[in-house]
Amino acid sequence: MSQVGRISGWSLAIIAIGLLGVSLSLTSVAFAQDAESATTEATEAAGVSDAPPVEEEVVVEEEAEAGSEVGYALDNAILFLCAVLVLFMQAGFAMVEVGLNAAKNTINILYKNVMDLSVGALLFFVIGFGLMYPGSYKEDPNPYFDFGGVGIYAPSEGQTFSPDVDWFFQAVFAATAATIVSGAVAGRMQFKAYLIYSAILTGIIYPISGYWKWGGGWLTQFDGGLAFQDFAGSAVVHACGGFAGLAGAIVLGPRLGRFSSDGKSVPMPGHNIAFAALGVFILWVGWYGFNPGSQLAFQSAADIDATTFIAVNTTLSAAAGVVAATIVSWIMFGKPDLSMSLNGALGGLVGITANCDCFSNMWAIVIGAVSGVIVVAAIVALDKLKIDDPVGAFPVHGACGVWGCMAIGFLPNTHLDGGSTSFMVQLIGTAAICAWAFVTMMILFVILKGIGILRASAEEETAGLDISEHGMHAYPADSLAPAAG
């Protein structure tokens, strides 16, 4: 065989061996892939998941936990801001009371407002919060009266709110109830007597009746699943303060010169209507913490829709209260009375507080308009009864607070339509809270009067409580001239 033939033979042999090797390799890979596929199918059939799905589940859980933390933060941040708005209402109350009273009592009124908040915050921390929300401290509290403990309750797993922000929100509500009385007793009550009253109302009286409704007490436990409805406190806060103020005004008696010897009413205009108007605007703004804040949940679309709906109802009711009070006072007195209109705004705000979540926008206007009429009528009625309420605290907070809760019992609203309350339930709840505040405070004021520390002397009242109680004047010019008005 030639050399070329031998080379070609060896070449063919090498090529054949190479092809055989490649074929065997591909066959091995194919078998390996089939085996891996079979193993995977067997694993999946056995219910064992691969690593990637486990990682995906971990990511989903982490995202859910992060979303829950964001929602918790949002709820607590907004509730905190709402509490600050309610706290700012103290400035509004101070301006209204100062503006509608004599200049010689300015420091006394401002001092009482500062002490309402300060004493109230301390006592609500020590005892009031535990009385109002005992169920947050322990299980199965008595539905009429119980005490959870001193201070703020401990945090728990899965809680909706921080206990601290919960306390803060409720504490400023308590201070609001106490401040309402300040206007009703202005100009003639001794400072030390007022401090005693403020401490007892904020630390004991308000928390107990507040527990009946907001703490899960007996007003939420009627047969058939019915419950007294008071969304943000027309009765729990405002009527409580209004009826306490009425008791104080009755026991104290009117200011010197408020009624003539033959019983005729003698107007005693406030010294600065601009202050009063500014105070009403501040209160109106603060009410957006009071009512929308009582939604207590803000992280979902439905929560925000409810919150803004409540804000709209609050606005419409206040506006209707102003217009109605203006029309009625204009008809009755021949000229529009700004003080009546300002109280009409506050009456509309109080009237809608219980029901801002359950009435339609149109019915919110009705609530406000009726509130404006009630304010004017109640002010005139107190005059006829010779009860002196310098700022209209009872007409605004007491009378309109009752109206706001009772309206739920017979006008079309979601609570009544849904069968969660009735006229009788609303009547029982409203009467219980009002009677509790009126009777307990009447007893307290009578005791203070009996021991001689309730009312300032005629000389002190004439000079003004600023100089007689505190030894100072609010306005420098007053120190150079005799006290007036």
Side-chain angles (χ1 to χ4, degrees), residues 37-97:
S37 177
T39 302
T40 301
E41 291 176 359
T43 302
E44 292 176 350
V48 181
S49 59
D50 293 334
V54 172
E55 294 175 357
E56 291 174 4
E57 288 180 5
V58 171
V59 170
V60 169
E61 290 178 359
E62 290 177 349
E63 290 177 349
E65 184 176 351
S68 176
E69 290 180 354
V70 170
Y72 177 84
L74 182 63
D75 279 345
N76 282 270
I78 293 181
L79 191 64
F80 168 73
L81 292 176
C82 288
V84 172
L85 282 174
V86 177
L87 174 60
F88 189 49
M89 290 173 70
Q90 293 290 330
F93 281 117
M95 290 294 95
V96 169
E97 293 169 22

Side-chain angles (χ1 to χ4, degrees), residues 396-424:
V396 168
H397 301 278
C400 291
V402 169
W403 157 242
C405 286
M406 290 310 305
I408 300 174
F410 63 92
L411 295 179
N413 64 86
T414 55
H415 292 313
L416 198 59
D417 295 343
S420 59
T421 191
S422 68
F423 179 82
M424 188 55 63

